[in-house]
Amino acid sequence: MRKKLIAANWKMYKTPDQTRDFFREFLPLVAGHTRDEIVVCPPFLDLPAALEAAKGSDVGIGAQNVHWKEEGAFTGETSTLQLLALGITHVIVGHSERRQYFGETDDTVNLRLKMALEAGFTPICCIGEVLEEREAGATDDVLRRQCTRAFHAISAKKAAKLVIAYEPVWAIGTGKTATPAIAAEAHAVIRNEVTRIFGEDFAAKLRILYGGSVKPDNAAALMAEEEIDGALVGGASLDPKSFAAIVKY
Ligand code: PGA
């Protein structure tokens, strides 16, 4: 049995004060909830406030990106050393918004992923097709290509902590959720590709999250799919009650 991971991606929302307010309300709502692993990924500047607020709870704190070098002349980037020094355990890599607006490619996703794994983080590697690719019947090819390139030259041993998030780009922030069946089908394609790359044992243990307009009212149906091992939640994770309802689907 794979323990589900429910992760919040706050994107560029909330200040440190708003972060503290969130945890003050959220933690009591999920106290004692051990069925699923819970992680919150706030913006970088909110990480210290989130770590402080979540101290002593079972909620992990993750970053939304990480650079592939430990330090250097890389203005505006953040390194594994800096995140480790804070106590961060998880990191999102290759989110579609980074791919779409900030020039992230399959190759830079691969570099970031290698570094995150090397440094001991649990990376949540995001993949997913855009609407035109789905409509052209290219979804499976896109998912396979994104996996092959993201995991290039990484061994199964190194990749042990890897988590994948399947996030169809047409479902992100649009209110259009993939049906549980569509998501499960894509997850099966990804798991097959991961089997090819890392082997059967690895693929059997790998957690594949679904992301894209997950809400309290659709979480249960999505999580009921055997292929879906959790969720990466954007908009609906900003409100403590709504995110707690998703966690407790
Ligand atoms: P959404 O975002 O839940 O707001 O669709 C998901 C994500 O981008 O990770």
Side-chain angles (χ1 to χ4, degrees):
M1 267 303 279
R2 299 182 289 258
K3 186 169 185 165
K4 289 197 200 307
L5 166 60
I6 314 293
N9 172 14
W10 283 1
K11 309 192 178 189
M12 201 175 68
Y13 290 97
K14 292 192 193 294
T15 63
D17 275 347
Q18 291 170 331
T19 300
R20 284 184 274 272
D21 290 346
F22 174 93
F23 280 96
R24 203 170 299 124
E25 199 178 333
F26 178 68
L27 290 180
L29 298 175
V30 297
H33 184 92
T34 52
R35 181 192 58 188
D36 312 273
E37 189 183 342
I38 309 170
V39 170
V40 175
C41 303
F44 287 107
L45 283 175
D46 297 330
L47 290 174
L51 284 160
E52 182 63 31
K55 208 181 264 173
S57 77
D58 289 327
V59 178
I61 305 298
Q64 295 176 16
N65 194 12
V66 69
H67 195 257
W68 55 85
K69 286 278 168 63
E70 281 192 337
E71 57 183 9
F74 300 105
T75 303
E77 289 286 326
T78 305
S79 77
T80 50
L81 286 185
Q82 293 158 339
L83 295 176
L84 283 173
L86 286 186
I88 297 303
T89 49
H90 293 66
V91 61
I92 297 173
V93 174
H95 189 276
S96 66
E97 284 150 18
R98 304 252 15 124
R99 295 177 190 255
Q100 204 175 343
Y101 307 126
F102 302 102
E104 190 84 73
T105 64
D106 288 332
D107 292 337
T108 53
V109 168
N110 175 245
L111 290 171
R112 292 184 202 278
L113 202 53
K114 268 188 200 148
M115 188 46 149
L117 289 164
E118 196 71 47
F121 290 96
T122 298
I124 302 174
C125 180
C126 303
I127 59 172
E129 79 288 0
V130 299
L131 186 62
E132 299 77 65
E133 291 165 336
R134 172 153 292 267
E135 284 175 345
T139 299
D140 296 4
D141 286 345
V142 169
L143 297 178
R144 281 193 282 260
R145 187 205 72 217
Q146 288 176 334
C147 285
T148 311
R149 299 229 186 125
F151 310 144
H152 175 71
I154 297 176
S155 68
K157 191 162 170 249
K158 278 266 157 68
K161 287 188 174 175
L162 175 70
V163 173
I164 296 179
Y166 168 60
E167 300 210 302
V169 179
W170 47 270
I172 294 179
T174 57
K176 279 187 211 154
T177 322
T179 62
I182 290 178
E185 204 180 307
H187 285 214
V189 171
I190 295 165
R191 206 176 295 283
N192 274 335
E193 189 60 10
V194 168
T195 305
R196 193 185 65 73
I197 300 171
F198 292 130
E200 220 164 293
D201 288 353
F202 185 99
K205 289 188 203 130
L206 173 74
R207 289 182 294 180
I208 306 177
L209 319 184
Y210 168 76
S213 299
V214 176
K215 308 272 182 250
D217 62 1
N218 60 25
L222 287 160
M223 294 308 124
E225 289 288 337
E226 205 187 312
E227 266 298 335
I228 301 182
D229 306 309
L232 182 55
V233 188
S237 73
L238 294 170
D239 174 71
K241 284 194 196 73
S242 146
F243 188 50
I246 292 172
V247 166
K248 299 204 245 176
Y249 57 87

